[in-house]
Amino acid sequence: MKHSSRITSIVTLVIMLLSFTSMASNLDQYVQNAGARQHISLNGQWHRILDPYENGYYNHRYEPHENGYFKNAKAKDKGDLVEYNFATAPLINVPGDWNTQEEQLFLYEGTVWYEKSFNVEKITNKRYVMHFGAVNYKAIVYVNGTKVGEHEGGFTSFQFDVTEQIKDKDNFVIVKVDNRRERDQVPTVNTDWWNYGGITRSVSLLELPERYLADYSVRLNDKGDGVIGMVSVSSPGKKDEVTVSIPELKINTNVKLDAKGMASFDIKANPNLWSPEAPKLYEVSFAFNGETVKDKIGFRSVKVEGTEIFVNGKSMFLRGISIHEESPFGGGRAWSEADARTLLTWAKELGCNFVRLAHYPHNEMMLKIADELGLLVWSEIPVYWTVMFDSKDVYAKAEKQLTEMITRDKNRAAVIMWSVANETPVQDDRLVFLGNLIKKARALDPSRLITAAMDTQSTSANGKLIDDPLAKYVDIIGINSYCGWYSAKPADCGNLRWESHYEKPIIMSEVGAGALKGLHDKKEVIWTEEFQADVYVHNIEMMENMPSLRGVTPWILKDFRSPRRPLDNVQDFWNRKGLLSEKGERKLAWYVLRDFYQKKAAE
Ligand code: GCU
């Protein structure tokens, strides 16, 4: 017995080592703009098996199984013992969180196995890449019983080359999804949003040329007299060229690639600039090796000078709102174009030219619709509250999410700032952690601004003093303050004065109060719409007296699910700070903010 178990543990070790090292992603480049590639969608109904004890992954010795559920085993005959069967397992929608699809899964945190079978007309000189928009939180992906990779982080896209694994007929993909919260994760164990589990965004199988255009970026150059960018292909070849075309700008240029299969370009041009008032998008296409990848891209500049934010050289006040990625009606993760269009149209109706997509990268549709509707975007990674700032592993996870976010959304004109954190405690290891993230973001994308939402301020003679040391490293200071809700009385807020140690623009990234839609009474009565509206009135007074205030994104567009909000008959697991109810109904405070934005827009 002893001898054989030693062999099994060596084998298991080898498997684990192999899986960890090579399979995080077997692609060294993200395939840009997956939605614009030749692909088959794997969205729809998948089979699902609940596995709270990870019985499909570990054996009774708590060692990874060789014959786990990923093998999709079938009973050979009536006497054959197989204790799971995807074919008869319940169906679940993908994309979608599991919490709002089955009542028993509303609070479920653990492992769920997903299975989907599919056919492909496999073509020899093609590469097949499986693209996941997002899976919360940990995903291990198997194709036809073979592990192709794993991913950690619930809000960024990932891909695996599955060319070797797929065949023409009867393919199956199995995903082990685990949304358990652990201390060393990003975000960590406590958040004020629902830990929706599942394959929450689209899944597709991309069919690409043997050598294909992997990544590209294009934007207005720093002088504003041309478009600058880069292209890179999956594997270098000889005399490679990529044709970059922007027909409306009469651009049709062959860009020669270097030995690494990469090239940058800076082409003279005079585009109409993208702005919230005129969100001009140009069709841009990249042709390489028989594939043409089309994108819609806006050209604009953004910078800060002193306490001003300039878009296309014009100082701008950012009339914003914070948004969680929840479907417009009811709870559950938003993922579709329709969801994005509804949420962002509500923001436009409020008079916004800006949205804070909190607290994690939202789905790609949100960014593309923001481009189309003309909404500037604050995009953020979930370094939220008390992640383990002293952990190198946790830093690596945060940096990876930052890189994935920037890589996916760098071509969206709407995105003007990357946020590296929300409400993190003032301590040395946090400053080092976030300082390194900021360095990384600037290296990855020198064209955008950096921010973070801070909730620690000191008290000054007549109010608040912005002195968080993190503010030294960002371009724009985000301030979360709940005057009239978590502190002070609404009426006190108008007199609250803000000072800042920094000559930088400030965005009030969170202000607000809770209200239950339909609850009405005198404005002193908490949870009424009148109380919430009153908090807005006085916070607007306060903000009108903030010297460097250049934007505001009140918390929040719509009531959203939170496990931290149990108050019966008022919250019932909803954070009620929305200006809209969970059904999209306007509360009184909606009109207070809309009127303020109308006034601001007219200034
Ligand atoms: C915090 C936090 C939000 C939270 C909000 C609230 O500021 O950033 O995620 O939902 O406060 O308390 O409602």
Side-chain angles (χ1 to χ4, degrees):
M1 181 57 188
K2 215 161 118 1
H3 176 61
S4 63
S5 64
R6 195 145 47 74
I7 292 180
T8 36
S9 49
I10 294 167
V11 173
T12 325
L13 184 62
V14 173
I15 292 171
M16 281 179 70
L17 274 177
L18 266 181
S19 67
F20 191 84
T21 48
S22 61
M23 292 294 181
S25 172
N26 56 5
L27 280 174
D28 49 17
Q29 283 191 76
Y30 179 76
V31 180
Q32 186 62 237
N33 199 4
R37 308 291 181 139
Q38 174 82 20
H39 69 271
I40 59 169
S41 170
L42 294 173
N43 288 355
Q45 297 224 297
W46 291 46
H47 290 284
R48 67 97 178 114
I49 293 178
L50 305 189
D51 190 9
Y53 281 47
E54 297 182 283
N55 184 51
Y57 188 77
Y58 294 107
N59 62 20
H60 73 302
R61 294 272 176 267
Y62 205 59
E63 297 155 339
H65 245 304
E66 282 160 30
N67 292 314
Y69 292 178
F70 49 84
K71 288 293 183 196
N72 202 3
K74 302 279 177 242
K76 293 187 204 50
D77 55 47
K78 290 208 171 326
D80 193 16
L81 171 63
V82 179
E83 293 184 284
Y84 70 95
N85 184 355
F86 281 108
T88 57
L91 293 168
I92 193 164
N93 290 326
V94 167
D97 58 276
W98 60 59
N99 312 73
T100 53
Q101 291 194 56
E102 295 178 42
E103 200 155 335
Q104 65 167 335
L105 299 181
F106 183 54
L107 284 162
Y108 181 70
E109 294 184 299
T111 284
V112 175
W113 293 86
Y114 283 71
E115 182 270 348
K116 174 96 176 164
S117 46
F118 61 98
N119 296 326
V120 184
E121 270 163 53
K122 192 174 179 185
I123 302 168
T124 35
N125 59 358
K126 293 283 184 185
R127 303 297 311 173
Y128 291 86
V129 170
M130 198 167 278
H131 170 92
F132 291 83
V135 173
N136 191 47
Y137 177 77
K138 280 186 187 162
I140 307 181
V141 180
Y142 307 82
V143 172
N144 296 337
T146 302
K147 186 176 184 171
V148 293
E150 52 190 277
H151 183 266
E152 178 168 345
F155 305 101
T156 46
S157 312
F158 57 96
Q159 305 161 331
F160 304 118
D161 188 315
V162 297
T163 311
E164 316 318 322
Q165 284 75 29
I166 61 162
K167 49 194 170 154
D168 269 349
K169 292 237 163 316
D170 307 329
N171 295 287
F172 60 88
V173 53
I174 289 179
V175 185
K176 176 185 186 296
V177 180
D178 179 1
N179 77 332
R180 265 172 314 163
R181 290 168 292 122
E182 308 278 357
R183 192 70 188 86
D184 65 347
Q185 295 178 349
V186 179
T188 184
V189 287
N190 58 340
T191 67
D192 192 28
W193 69 80
W194 207 263
N195 182 25
Y196 291 115
I199 303 181
T200 52
R201 295 179 191 161
S202 289
V203 185
S204 54
L205 182 69
L206 314 183
E207 182 181 270
L208 304 162
E210 181 57 47
R211 293 190 317 114
Y212 54 86
L213 175 81
D215 199 7
Y216 62 82
S217 70
V218 59
R219 63 176 174 84
L220 187 71
N221 66 16
D222 297 341
K223 283 185 276 130
D225 65 0
V227 295
I228 189 172
M230 60 65 95
V231 287
S232 71
V233 299
S234 55
S235 51
K238 295 214 170 18
K239 298 201 183 62
D240 277 343
E241 286 186 343
V242 171
T243 308
V244 179
S245 310
I246 313 179
E248 269 186 276
L249 295 175
K250 307 211 171 358
I251 289 177
N252 189 37
T253 307
N254 290 333
V255 179
K256 284 195 177 17
L257 305 182
D258 64 16
K260 290 206 199 87
M262 303 176 76
S264 56
F265 55 85
D266 189 345
I267 307 166
K268 282 262 170 280
N270 184 18
N272 294 337
L273 298 183
W274 181 99
S275 70
E277 299 75 30
K280 170 64 185 168
L281 296 174
Y282 286 86
E283 183 164 298
V284 179
S285 67
F286 302 88
F288 176 73
N289 204 8
E291 179 194 28
T292 298
V293 184
K294 292 196 172 143
D295 203 340
K296 286 206 181 97
I297 293 182
F299 299 102
R300 55 103 189 95
S301 70
V302 64
K303 66 177 182 184
V304 294
E305 253 170 42
T307 61
E308 305 285 317
I309 302 173
F310 293 88
V311 175
N312 301 334
K314 199 174 118 223
S315 174
M316 195 168 267
F317 184 87
L318 304 178
R319 307 184 307 271
I321 191 76
S322 295
I323 303 179
H324 257 303
E325 188 191 49
E326 255 193 16
S327 61
F329 303 105
R333 279 277 166 240
W335 61 272
S336 68
E337 178 171 344
D339 292 338
R341 215 168 268 292
T342 304
L343 292 168
L344 296 177
T345 302
W346 282 341
K348 290 287 279 188
E349 288 165 355
L350 192 52
C352 294
N353 58 8
F354 180 55
V355 289
R356 176 187 178 201
L357 302 182
H359 292 292
Y360 37 76
H362 286 212
N363 65 76
E364 220 168 338
M365 257 313 147
M366 282 293 267
L367 287 307
K368 289 192 171 174
I369 303 296
D371 257 4
E372 185 195 313
L373 296 182
L375 282 165
L376 297 158
V377 169
W378 159 315
S379 185
E380 183 164 289
I381 52 170
V383 176
Y384 181 92
W385 288 347
T386 51
V387 301
M388 294 167 69
F389 294 107
D390 56 356
S391 156
K392 284 206 171 22
D393 290 351
V394 171
Y395 176 78
K397 292 176 186 180
E399 191 186 86
K400 185 162 174 288
Q401 292 187 25
L402 179 76
T403 306
E404 290 174 342
M405 170 176 77
I406 295 177
T407 303
R408 189 197 73 181
D409 299 333
K410 61 188 172 203
N411 292 313
R412 305 278 74 80
V415 182
I416 56 169
M417 60 186 85
W418 305 115
S419 169
V420 294
N422 179 73
E423 295 196 350
T424 48
V426 174
Q427 55 195 54
D428 297 347
D429 54 5
R430 166 254 197 181
L431 207 53
V432 174
F433 188 110
L434 299 180
N436 289 332
L437 282 179
I438 292 170
K439 263 195 232 116
K440 181 71 180 178
R442 294 194 192 286
L444 288 169
D445 179 7
S447 76
R448 287 185 174 83
L449 306 171
I450 303 295
T451 189
M454 302 167 216
D455 65 338
T456 308
Q457 300 94 29
S458 303
T459 308
S460 69
N462 46 26
K464 296 260 185 175
L465 172 61
I466 297 171
D467 56 358
D468 185 327
L470 177 62
K472 206 161 107 222
Y473 302 95
V474 298
D475 301 307
I476 294 176
I477 302 171
I479 295 293
N480 292 3
S481 139
Y482 283 90
C483 182
W485 187 253
Y486 290 128
S487 65
K489 286 279 171 239
D492 305 336
C493 305
N495 307 323
L496 189 68
R497 292 291 172 270
W498 289 78
E499 289 163 49
S500 171
H501 266 181
Y502 305 94
E503 181 65 12
K504 293 186 179 184
I506 294 169
I507 290 179
M508 197 52 106
S509 36
E510 290 184 34
V511 287
L516 178 61
K517 171 63 190 170
L519 191 63
H520 291 287
D521 201 326
K522 291 194 291 307
K523 63 180 172 56
E524 290 71 24
V525 179
I526 199 158
W527 298 114
T528 61
E529 292 190 41
E530 287 75 10
F531 186 104
Q532 184 190 40
D534 191 43
V535 169
Y536 270 78
V537 167
H538 293 294
N539 272 271
I540 287 170
E541 263 173 60
M542 174 189 82
M543 290 190 282
E544 296 267 49
N545 292 303
M546 284 177 79
S548 331
L549 187 79
R550 298 310 299 146
V552 53
T553 53
W555 195 259
I556 184 166
L557 180 67
K558 186 183 81 66
D559 290 357
F560 61 95
R561 279 283 184 207
S562 167
R564 301 175 70 250
R565 311 293 171 174
L567 185 58
D568 292 304
N569 309 320
V570 175
Q571 295 175 315
D572 298 317
F573 281 148
W574 293 98
N575 181 313
R576 294 289 183 198
K577 294 194 181 69
L579 294 174
L580 300 168
S581 72
E582 73 275 18
K583 300 192 191 90
E585 306 149 307
R586 293 178 178 177
K587 303 176 190 177
L588 288 180
W590 165 281
Y591 301 98
V592 176
L593 187 66
R594 196 237 1 232
D595 298 351
F596 172 57
Y597 283 169
Q598 271 169 358
K599 190 173 83 46
K600 270 292 189 205
E603 275 173 8

Short mmCIF file of all heavy atoms in Angstrom, two decimals, residues 322-344:
data_model
loop_
_atom_site.label_atom_id
_atom_site.label_comp_id
_atom_site.label_asym_id
_atom_site.label_seq_id
_atom_site.Cartn_x
_atom_site.Cartn_y
_atom_site.Cartn_z
N SER A 322 -22.15 56.84 -9.72
CA SER A 322 -21.52 55.53 -9.54
C SER A 322 -22.51 54.44 -9.93
O SER A 322 -23.71 54.60 -9.74
CB SER A 322 -21.10 55.34 -8.07
OG SER A 322 -20.10 56.27 -7.72
N ILE A 323 -21.97 53.35 -10.50
CA ILE A 323 -22.83 52.26 -10.98
C ILE A 323 -22.20 50.92 -10.61
O ILE A 323 -20.99 50.75 -10.77
CB ILE A 323 -23.00 52.30 -12.52
CG1 ILE A 323 -23.55 53.65 -12.99
CG2 ILE A 323 -23.89 51.17 -13.00
CD1 ILE A 323 -23.71 53.76 -14.52
N HIS A 324 -23.03 50.01 -10.07
CA HIS A 324 -22.59 48.62 -9.91
C HIS A 324 -23.05 47.85 -11.14
O HIS A 324 -24.04 48.20 -11.77
CB HIS A 324 -23.22 48.00 -8.65
CG HIS A 324 -22.30 47.90 -7.49
ND1 HIS A 324 -21.09 47.22 -7.54
CD2 HIS A 324 -22.38 48.39 -6.23
CE1 HIS A 324 -20.49 47.29 -6.36
NE2 HIS A 324 -21.25 48.00 -5.55
N GLU A 325 -22.35 46.75 -11.46
CA GLU A 325 -22.69 45.97 -12.66
C GLU A 325 -23.83 45.00 -12.35
O GLU A 325 -23.67 43.78 -12.33
CB GLU A 325 -21.47 45.21 -13.16
CG GLU A 325 -21.69 44.53 -14.50
CD GLU A 325 -20.57 43.56 -14.84
OE1 GLU A 325 -20.22 42.73 -13.96
OE2 GLU A 325 -20.04 43.66 -15.94
N GLU A 326 -24.97 45.60 -12.04
CA GLU A 326 -26.15 44.77 -11.75
C GLU A 326 -27.22 45.05 -12.79
O GLU A 326 -27.37 46.19 -13.24
CB GLU A 326 -26.68 45.11 -10.36
CG GLU A 326 -26.37 44.07 -9.33
CD GLU A 326 -27.16 44.23 -8.04
OE1 GLU A 326 -28.18 44.98 -8.05
OE2 GLU A 326 -26.76 43.62 -7.05
N SER A 327 -27.98 44.02 -13.13
CA SER A 327 -28.99 44.22 -14.19
C SER A 327 -29.96 45.31 -13.76
O SER A 327 -30.26 45.46 -12.57
CB SER A 327 -29.71 42.92 -14.48
OG SER A 327 -30.35 42.50 -13.33
N PRO A 328 -30.45 46.06 -14.73
CA PRO A 328 -31.26 47.25 -14.41
C PRO A 328 -32.52 46.93 -13.60
O PRO A 328 -32.92 47.72 -12.75
CB PRO A 328 -31.65 47.79 -15.78
CG PRO A 328 -30.76 47.13 -16.77
CD PRO A 328 -30.22 45.89 -16.16
N PHE A 329 -33.09 45.81 -13.82
CA PHE A 329 -34.34 45.47 -13.12
C PHE A 329 -34.12 44.25 -12.24
O PHE A 329 -33.87 43.15 -12.72
CB PHE A 329 -35.46 45.25 -14.14
CG PHE A 329 -35.67 46.46 -15.01
CD1 PHE A 329 -35.22 46.48 -16.32
CD2 PHE A 329 -36.25 47.62 -14.50
CE1 PHE A 329 -35.35 47.60 -17.13
CE2 PHE A 329 -36.40 48.76 -15.29
CZ PHE A 329 -35.94 48.76 -16.61
N GLY A 330 -34.15 44.49 -10.90
CA GLY A 330 -33.91 43.37 -9.98
C GLY A 330 -32.42 43.22 -9.78
O GLY A 330 -31.63 44.05 -10.18
N GLY A 331 -31.99 42.15 -9.27
CA GLY A 331 -30.56 41.91 -8.98
C GLY A 331 -29.94 41.05 -10.07
O GLY A 331 -30.48 40.92 -11.17
N GLY A 332 -28.76 40.53 -9.77
CA GLY A 332 -28.08 39.67 -10.75
C GLY A 332 -27.10 40.50 -11.56
O GLY A 332 -27.29 41.70 -11.76
N ARG A 333 -26.05 39.82 -12.05
CA ARG A 333 -25.03 40.52 -12.82
C ARG A 333 -25.59 40.98 -14.15
O ARG A 333 -26.29 40.24 -14.86
CB ARG A 333 -23.84 39.59 -13.08
CG ARG A 333 -22.89 39.49 -11.90
CD ARG A 333 -21.92 40.64 -11.90
NE ARG A 333 -21.21 40.76 -10.62
CZ ARG A 333 -21.26 41.83 -9.85
NH1 ARG A 333 -22.01 42.86 -10.21
NH2 ARG A 333 -20.59 41.88 -8.72
N ALA A 334 -25.27 42.22 -14.51
CA ALA A 334 -25.58 42.70 -15.86
C ALA A 334 -24.49 42.18 -16.78
O ALA A 334 -23.35 42.03 -16.36
CB ALA A 334 -25.58 44.23 -15.87
N TRP A 335 -24.83 41.87 -18.04
CA TRP A 335 -23.80 41.40 -18.97
C TRP A 335 -24.10 41.79 -20.42
O TRP A 335 -23.20 41.83 -21.23
CB TRP A 335 -23.66 39.89 -18.88
CG TRP A 335 -24.90 39.15 -19.23
CD1 TRP A 335 -25.92 38.81 -18.37
CD2 TRP A 335 -25.31 38.71 -20.53
NE1 TRP A 335 -26.94 38.18 -19.07
CE2 TRP A 335 -26.59 38.10 -20.39
CE3 TRP A 335 -24.73 38.78 -21.79
CZ2 TRP A 335 -27.28 37.56 -21.47
CZ3 TRP A 335 -25.42 38.24 -22.87
CH2 TRP A 335 -26.68 37.63 -22.69
N SER A 336 -25.37 42.10 -20.71
CA SER A 336 -25.73 42.26 -22.12
C SER A 336 -25.68 43.70 -22.61
O SER A 336 -25.62 44.65 -21.81
CB SER A 336 -27.18 41.77 -22.30
OG SER A 336 -28.04 42.69 -21.61
N GLU A 337 -25.77 43.85 -23.93
CA GLU A 337 -25.83 45.19 -24.52
C GLU A 337 -27.05 45.92 -24.00
O GLU A 337 -26.98 47.10 -23.62
CB GLU A 337 -25.85 45.12 -26.05
CG GLU A 337 -25.95 46.49 -26.68
CD GLU A 337 -25.77 46.50 -28.19
OE1 GLU A 337 -25.28 45.49 -28.74
OE2 GLU A 337 -26.17 47.53 -28.79
N ALA A 338 -28.17 45.21 -23.90
CA ALA A 338 -29.42 45.86 -23.44
C ALA A 338 -29.26 46.37 -22.00
O ALA A 338 -29.63 47.50 -21.69
CB ALA A 338 -30.57 44.85 -23.51
N ASP A 339 -28.63 45.54 -21.14
CA ASP A 339 -28.39 45.98 -19.75
C ASP A 339 -27.57 47.26 -19.74
O ASP A 339 -27.89 48.24 -19.07
CB ASP A 339 -27.61 44.91 -18.97
CG ASP A 339 -28.41 43.64 -18.71
OD1 ASP A 339 -29.64 43.70 -18.74
OD2 ASP A 339 -27.76 42.58 -18.51
N ALA A 340 -26.49 47.24 -20.52
CA ALA A 340 -25.57 48.40 -20.53
C ALA A 340 -26.29 49.64 -21.05
O ALA A 340 -26.19 50.72 -20.48
CB ALA A 340 -24.36 48.08 -21.41
N ARG A 341 -27.05 49.45 -22.12
CA ARG A 341 -27.74 50.59 -22.72
C ARG A 341 -28.75 51.19 -21.73
O ARG A 341 -28.84 52.40 -21.58
CB ARG A 341 -28.46 50.11 -24.00
CG ARG A 341 -28.50 51.12 -25.11
CD ARG A 341 -28.96 50.48 -26.41
NE ARG A 341 -27.88 50.00 -27.24
CZ ARG A 341 -27.00 50.78 -27.85
NH1 ARG A 341 -27.09 52.09 -27.70
NH2 ARG A 341 -26.04 50.28 -28.60
N THR A 342 -29.47 50.34 -21.00
CA THR A 342 -30.45 50.86 -20.03
C THR A 342 -29.76 51.62 -18.91
O THR A 342 -30.11 52.76 -18.61
CB THR A 342 -31.27 49.69 -19.44
OG1 THR A 342 -31.88 48.97 -20.50
CG2 THR A 342 -32.33 50.19 -18.47
N LEU A 343 -28.72 51.01 -18.32
CA LEU A 343 -28.04 51.66 -17.18
C LEU A 343 -27.42 52.99 -17.61
O LEU A 343 -27.58 54.02 -16.95
CB LEU A 343 -26.96 50.72 -16.64
CG LEU A 343 -27.43 49.44 -15.95
CD1 LEU A 343 -26.26 48.48 -15.73
CD2 LEU A 343 -28.12 49.76 -14.62
N LEU A 344 -26.77 53.00 -18.78
CA LEU A 344 -26.06 54.21 -19.19
C LEU A 344 -27.02 55.27 -19.73
O LEU A 344 -26.76 56.47 -19.60
CB LEU A 344 -24.96 53.85 -20.20
CG LEU A 344 -23.85 52.95 -19.62
CD1 LEU A 344 -22.85 52.57 -20.70
CD2 LEU A 344 -23.15 53.61 -18.44
#
